[in-house]
Amino acid sequence: MSKGVPDFQRRALCRLMAFLPLMTLAGPALGVIQPWIGVPSVSALAGLVSDRRGVRRIGFAYLRDHPLEADTDRLVSGLFPDPWACRLVKQNHSRPDELRRYLKRRIREDFEAGATVNLEGWILSRTECRVCALVAYSG
Amino acid sequence: MPERIDADVCIIGAGAAGITAARELINSGLEVCLLESGGFEYEQSIQDLYKGVSVGKEYPVDSTRLRMFGGTTNHWSGTCRPLDALDFEERAWVPHSGWPINKTHLDPYYARAQEVCQLGPYDYSAGRWETSEAKHAKALGEGIYTTVFQFSPPTRFGAVYRDELKRAGNLRVLLYATVLQLQLVAGGDAVDHVRVHSNGGRGFRVHAKYFVLAAGGIESPRLLLLSDTIQRNGIGNEFDLVGRFFMDHPILHDTAHGMLDGEVDLNYYRWRRKVDGTEVGGFLAFRPQMQKRGNLLNCGLQMRPAEAAPAVRSMHRVLKSLKRWDMPDELGEDVWTMLKDMDDVAGAVYRKLFGPVLTRFSYWAEPQPNPDSRITLNTERDRLGQRKVQVAWRTTRTDSENLARAHRLLAAELGRIDLGRIRLNFDSENGAWPETPELHKSNHHIGTLRMASDAKRGVVDRDCRVHGVDNLYVASSAVFPTAGHANPTLTIVALAIRLADHLQKVTT
């Protein structure tokens, strides 16, 4: 183990942390996966991220360790498990503030509840990983 | 040297505890005799009397202690901090925890100990040690807080206090005076005298009204076990507790890396920085409610900057120059270095814009009291014919699991408040000590004559008097029932001051 932060992980996480403030826009982008939401495509969202490479790496790593979640429907329902959350996505794709708050709250709740993932040593919120996994699917 | 010396108080051992107790008794009206096995300088033949046997986890029995005037303060690091209030409490998740005294009771003695160790004011709160260039992380959430160590110069007790002790009219310091045994009266309820070996060959005895065993956490139980002419299992050992619960603080470095919010000022967490003439070092610790919620042994986490790749250093140089509106001469070289590794630069740009701070963590922790971790006597003998000490340092599953538990709690708390993310550098699933990073000892010898009100649970009572022996006291980290995560010297000195005050009360 080198004394510096491991390269893959550090660079990837830099990008995740760049992505995090923007990932709350992921809700609208999920339209390409669930047409009934009727919102912009994931590729449009992905274009907001300066470099998706690292975020996708995290997403693929998550899916490798959690193969049962290698399914976009499952990822989406994991992110938005209840009808209220789905309505929120529908209603707020053009006003992301409430959606952003929702996802931030989910992340905080993940850490409070221990719903975290050990991804090659990095302790991340499951919500963060699922968003990365969805971006990974975006190609 | 006469065959017999008489005193009011005989102190065995001139380390931090013994010298402190002796100093406090200067001008007390009591005649004090301070016995030290070594001389003013290190001598191998004397040091060899510390040689022993290690079983269990490998433990350096002799090299971590110094058998000379001033004792182990002749090579200590000077790191000081009081124990936390929770360390004194009985905690349901820490078997064998609980002191018969609390922190509030010890606070006045800690304050006096600060001066003895040549430290700053008795204040370990984070805010006290802030400067304009070093701010502690305030937004740490409810579970984690910043606190500090203070660093003694370090005080070499022998060198610093030698002249003062020499000048004291009521104090007699005898060097090369190795105590072989404490001899009880026939009834076994008091010490009559100690038998002493002198380098000159002739031994002698010291008779005193009170005896203070201040020989350290390994030698003190050894002496009690060797003193078996009346109590066959050794003095104070009716319930087989002498030597048990041997504790040392485990330390591991680079246990994790972190990417933290740019608001975190790592300057504050530099290991030694001077504030108002006092050297301090900031670190993170867990609040009592977090320890309780997480079933956590008390522990500390030091943050240091993680190494940056060359391209990042180049970026920093360029940006610094641009800020001053001048261009570095080697700008061309810097640009080339940056181009070679855009990922690193992108990371640095991100950090500049959004500010994550790269850190690495070291971890040290309170050891779980373990009765099977113990000091006993080996069959091998030293050159004076005394059975050597045998050290069986044993940690528990709780100790190794605490490493992962603490880091998961750190990650959860920092994630919860969105202050950053943590990467563990060890396998956190199997619960054993990792092979890397390597487990280190702190060379603190704690717990072997633990304090308890009930003689069935401890060797000394709340006054540090050996149960069942009216005039025998212990001044040492040996009496700590639990060790906290703080280095023990400040607490050793505080307890020695307290003991000296007690002796003055009982003798008047």
Side-chain angles (χ1 to χ4, degrees), chain B residues 80-119:
Chain B
C80 290
R81 189 171 182 275
L83 294 173
D84 294 322
L86 187 64
D87 294 333
F88 292 83
E89 293 179 26
E90 189 167 347
R91 291 162 280 165
W93 65 99
V94 184
H96 308 290
S97 58
W99 293 51
I101 59 175
N102 59 29
K103 175 83 181 295
T104 307
H105 170 82
L106 210 52
D107 274 333
Y109 302 103
Y110 272 129
R112 288 161 65 181
Q114 293 280 124
E115 200 180 319
V116 175
C117 296
Q118 299 177 305
L119 298 167

Side-chain angles (χ1 to χ4, degrees), chain A residues 3 10-11 17 53 121 128, chain B residues 257 343-344 350 421 424:
Chain A
K3 279 196 174 170
R10 178 178 53 75
R11 288 199 293 271
M17 296 200 48
R53 188 169 53 130
E128 289 171 321
Chain B
H257 282 85
D343 280 343
D344 278 326
Y350 177 77
R421 300 292 181 272
L424 306 184

Side-chain angles (χ1 to χ4, degrees), chain A residues 1 19 24 27 30-31 38 48 59 61 69 73 79 96 102 113 121 123 134:
Chain A
M1 162 60 71
F19 178 63
T24 55
L30 300 176
L48 294 172
E69 294 209 15
D73 285 348
L79 280 170
Y102 169 80
I123 308 297
L134 281 172

Side-chain angles (χ1 to χ4, degrees), chain A residues 7-8 11-12 52-62, chain B residues 343:
Chain A
D7 280 347
F8 152 71
R11 288 199 293 271
R52 291 173 291 166
R53 188 169 53 130
V55 172
R56 284 206 306 270
R57 278 181 180 175
I58 293 173
F60 282 128
Y62 177 72
Chain B
D343 280 343

Side-chain angles (χ1 to χ4, degrees), chain A residues 91-107:
Chain A
Q91 290 166 2
N92 289 279
H93 65 88
S94 61
R95 294 193 306 274
D97 286 352
E98 214 168 314
L99 183 57
R100 182 181 298 119
R101 277 196 294 274
Y102 169 80
L103 285 173
K104 279 187 82 167
R105 179 168 60 81
R106 287 295 307 275
I107 291 171

Side-chain angles (χ1 to χ4, degrees), chain B residues 325-401:
Chain B
W325 295 106
D326 63 8
M327 305 297 277
D329 290 339
E330 58 276 14
L331 177 63
E333 186 183 316
D334 280 335
V335 170
W336 175 241
T337 307
M338 283 195 286
L339 287 172
K340 279 196 294 187
D341 192 350
M342 283 305 295
D343 280 343
D344 278 326
V345 173
V349 169
Y350 177 77
R351 283 195 293 281
K352 192 70 188 163
L353 294 174
F354 299 100
V357 171
L358 290 182
T359 68
R360 49 198 176 109
F361 289 91
S362 291
Y363 161 95
W364 61 92
E366 168 185 22
Q368 165 63 49
N370 176 13
D372 295 328
S373 179
R374 61 188 302 199
I375 306 297
T376 53
L377 297 178
N378 192 266
T379 52
E380 286 183 34
R381 292 178 187 268
D382 64 21
R383 64 177 168 84
L384 300 181
Q386 302 277 88
R387 290 172 64 186
K388 288 182 180 178
V389 74
Q390 178 164 298
V391 177
W393 180 44
R394 296 194 172 104
T395 61
T396 66
R397 188 84 178 171
T398 303
D399 293 300
S400 52
E401 285 175 348

